[in-house]
Amino acid sequence: MKTQVAIIGAGPSGLLLGQLLARQGIDNIIVERVTGEYVLGRIRAGVLEQGFVDLVREAGVSERMDREGEIHEGFELAFNNRRVRIDMKQLTGGDTVMVYGQTEITKDLMEARAAAGLQTIYQADNVTLHDVKSKTPSVTYEINGVKHHLECDYIAGCDGFHGVSRQTIPQDVRTEYERIYPFGWLGLLSDTPPVSKELIYCKHERGFALASLRSASRSRYYIQVPLSDKVEDWSDDDFWAEFKKRLPANTAKNLVTGPSIEKSIAPLRSFVCEPMQYGNLFLVGDAAHIVPPTGAKGLNLAASDVSALYKILTRVFKENDKSCIAQYSEIALRRVWHGERFSWWMTNMLHNFEGLSINGADDRTFEKFMASELDYYTGYEAGRRVIAQQYVGLPYEELE
Ligand code: FAS
Ligand code: PHB
């Protein structure tokens, strides 16, 4: 088999890239390790930057997102019995975010791909990338033990943190930056009306909590938990009792509880692999970088990678101009590091590190610095503008 671009992974990165390339007439095949149903079973992001929304519209897959997605003009930070609203629209001169679950975006992209008759190979085992530095890279994989060979011009590694693509870049070529946080997020999804119309990030002495949502009838809530906790340690009732304690009192009294339809614990880490390209292999999204979800950047950084690579490959195939290929990693990493820093900053400001710390020691001085950081930035319009500008997303960079 042959294609112009082989895409590894049918998560949001791979599907969005595949859709954008196909609309430019650039042939692509996606090779995915699991089933489509399994991909859709992952409950992850919920907040989309404007740049992401625009890209989905450009991909021609925005009809349900524009119909069912909720535009959010602000969110709240709750701490020390105070609530500070970050008025994104006012502070950024009109920018907002959209609340629309990653699962929904993935479903819309999957349906669009199938409707266009574009090829996605699911349940591919032993996916291996070959000759990525040559002019004839290729991908091999097995279906029910039968080996297949896919020739291509370029490979987009959209296969997430645990994928094969990043590992294909030789260790002595890769530089990996990592910070692992000493706690995780226990997330719960429920078909209950959200406790607040806008997101509330809560810093509490018992630990961080986030009140988010998917729609007017579906809520997405998180609480900080120790790394040693297992999801089976937490009954729904235990979650609701703890979540209620961490919400502002005048909000907690409105909390509607109900059975969880999903519950899971996500570890928190900051991670970046440099470079994000090697020969004709390009790393996209979680394959190259991970952020703690406190800044709602994970999925959104994947989108800006997709945007950069889509523009480059369009110039290569439509204008026969390969001069821009070398720009990918530099362009992508500039925005990735801004997202990494913001996510690290929000995580440090809003979580309880008492008795914990990045370097293992109980660093109460660090706690005092971060409490002052939160108080300072929320206490001044200029500080709130800094938060707002990064939350709505910094501009995407154009190719030279
Ligand atoms: P993904 O990991 O989504 O997709 C990669 C795909 O590649 C998967 O389908 C996988 O099966 C496939 N794959 C892996 N190895 C392969 C191989 N060898 N061969 C073929 N296919 C292979 N972001 C937020 O903004 N907010 C959040 O609240 C949030 N919560 C998260 C919770 C969890 C538990 C996780 C893991 C991430 C969360 N994220 C969140 C980040 C998340 O949304 C990612 O940014 C997003 O899924 C990135 O999409 P992809 O780059 O497509 O990677
Ligand atoms: C979510 O709704 O899943 C969500 C929203 C904002 C975040 C993290 C997760 O920062």
Side-chain angles (χ1 to χ4, degrees):
M1 240 183 335
K2 181 160 176 40
T3 187
Q4 289 174 304
V5 182
I7 298 174
I8 315 299
S13 293
L15 289 165
L16 182 55
L17 178 64
Q19 183 68 15
L20 288 162
L21 292 176
R23 284 173 70 87
Q24 295 295 330
I26 299 169
D27 186 57
N28 63 86
I29 291 178
I30 296 181
V31 181
E32 164 58 56
R33 182 172 60 178
V34 297
T35 64
E37 293 70 28
Y38 189 93
V39 175
L40 288 175
R42 298 181 186 125
I43 305 301
R44 290 188 176 165
V47 171
L48 309 181
E49 294 173 352
Q50 189 60 52
F52 191 120
V53 169
D54 294 343
L55 210 49
V56 173
R57 287 176 179 150
E58 186 174 346
V61 188
S62 60
E63 190 272 330
R64 189 163 74 105
M65 177 187 74
D66 284 327
R67 189 176 69 246
E68 297 179 8
E70 275 188 15
I71 301 293
H72 280 222
E73 299 183 356
F75 63 94
E76 286 189 86
L77 299 171
F79 57 99
N80 297 343
N81 294 316
R82 291 166 54 197
R83 298 173 68 151
V84 175
R85 182 168 185 268
I86 304 296
D87 185 344
M88 295 182 282
K89 188 167 186 180
Q90 183 268 323
L91 290 164
T92 64
D95 291 342
T96 56
V97 296
M98 179 180 283
V99 169
Y100 187 66
Q102 172 175 326
T103 308
E104 307 315 318
I105 282 279
T106 305
K107 192 170 169 195
D108 296 343
L109 286 164
M110 276 183 182
E111 288 174 358
R113 187 167 181 85
L118 299 170
Q119 196 171 0
T120 306
I121 296 158
Y122 287 103
Q123 296 180 280
D125 295 325
N126 301 324
V127 176
T128 309
L129 282 51
H130 304 275
D131 308 316
V132 295
K133 292 284 272 184
S134 78
K135 291 190 171 27
T136 54
S138 66
V139 179
T140 57
Y141 58 91
E142 290 168 17
I143 301 287
N144 301 326
V146 176
K147 192 162 185 174
H148 298 263
H149 186 245
L150 174 61
E151 294 174 27
C152 54
D153 299 316
Y154 299 100
I155 301 175
C158 303
D159 47 346
F161 185 67
H162 302 290
V164 65
S165 297
R166 185 174 70 252
Q167 308 306 328
T168 304
I169 300 178
Q171 202 136 24
D172 60 353
V173 174
R174 296 196 318 254
T175 302
E176 296 184 349
Y177 302 87
E178 185 166 58
R179 171 145 298 180
I180 293 176
Y181 297 87
F183 37 72
W185 277 20
L186 168 60
L188 179 142
L189 192 68
S190 60
D191 279 333
T192 55
V195 73
S196 168
K197 288 193 182 312
E198 292 186 329
L199 275 71
I200 310 176
Y201 292 78
C202 310
K203 178 171 189 167
H204 191 279
E205 60 190 12
R206 298 178 67 89
F208 169 83
L210 169 60
S212 183
L213 62 146
R214 290 292 178 270
S215 69
S217 59
R218 177 164 286 192
S219 300
R220 179 64 171 171
Y221 298 136
Y222 297 93
I223 56 173
Q224 170 187 347
V225 292
L227 278 179
S228 52
D229 277 14
K230 301 277 176 289
V231 66
E232 49 271 19
D233 299 339
W234 284 87
S235 69
D236 287 2
D237 289 346
D238 291 343
F239 178 91
W240 291 122
E242 188 57 37
F243 183 62
K244 204 165 186 173
K245 287 174 185 161
R246 301 185 188 185
L247 286 173
N250 55 0
T251 297
K253 64 183 183 350
N254 302 324
L255 181 65
V256 176
T257 66
S260 61
I261 52 180
E262 192 272 352
K263 199 162 53 180
S264 55
I265 293 181
L268 269 62
R269 86 173 69 226
S270 300
F271 174 88
V272 178
C273 170
E274 292 189 0
M276 286 178 54
Q277 67 189 96
Y278 181 69
N280 292 311
L281 167 63
F282 302 91
L283 301 184
V284 180
D286 278 20
H289 43 76
I290 296 286
V291 285
T294 327
K297 289 298 156 217
L299 182 59
N300 290 301
L301 288 175
S304 46
D305 294 350
V306 166
S307 176
L309 186 55
Y310 153 61
K311 289 173 192 161
I312 287 170
L313 291 176
T314 300
R315 199 177 281 184
V316 166
F317 286 110
K318 305 267 288 200
E319 301 169 29
N320 198 25
D321 170 6
K322 296 188 178 183
S323 65
C324 54
I325 283 183
Q327 292 179 48
Y328 172 71
S329 185
E330 193 186 329
I331 291 174
L333 283 168
R334 252 193 297 276
R335 195 170 190 278
V336 162
W337 275 113
H338 282 313
E340 290 282 344
R341 174 189 40 76
F342 177 66
S343 304
W344 162 83
W345 184 58
M346 289 281 276
T347 302
N348 284 338
M349 280 199 297
L350 294 169
H351 286 76
N352 184 336
F353 282 79
E354 192 178 331
L356 305 164
S357 170
I358 294 298
N359 48 29
D362 176 358
D363 189 344
R364 280 169 298 169
T365 310
F366 170 78
E367 288 266 333
K368 296 299 279 184
F369 283 149
M370 296 324 295
S372 167
E373 189 98 341
L374 181 58
D375 183 58
Y376 177 79
Y377 276 87
T378 54
Y380 294 84
E381 179 173 306
R384 292 193 296 275
R385 179 167 289 110
V386 164
I387 296 172
Q389 284 172 335
Q390 295 176 94
Y391 197 88
V392 299
L394 301 180
Y396 286 13
E397 201 172 318
E398 291 306 320
L399 298 184
E400 284 168 6

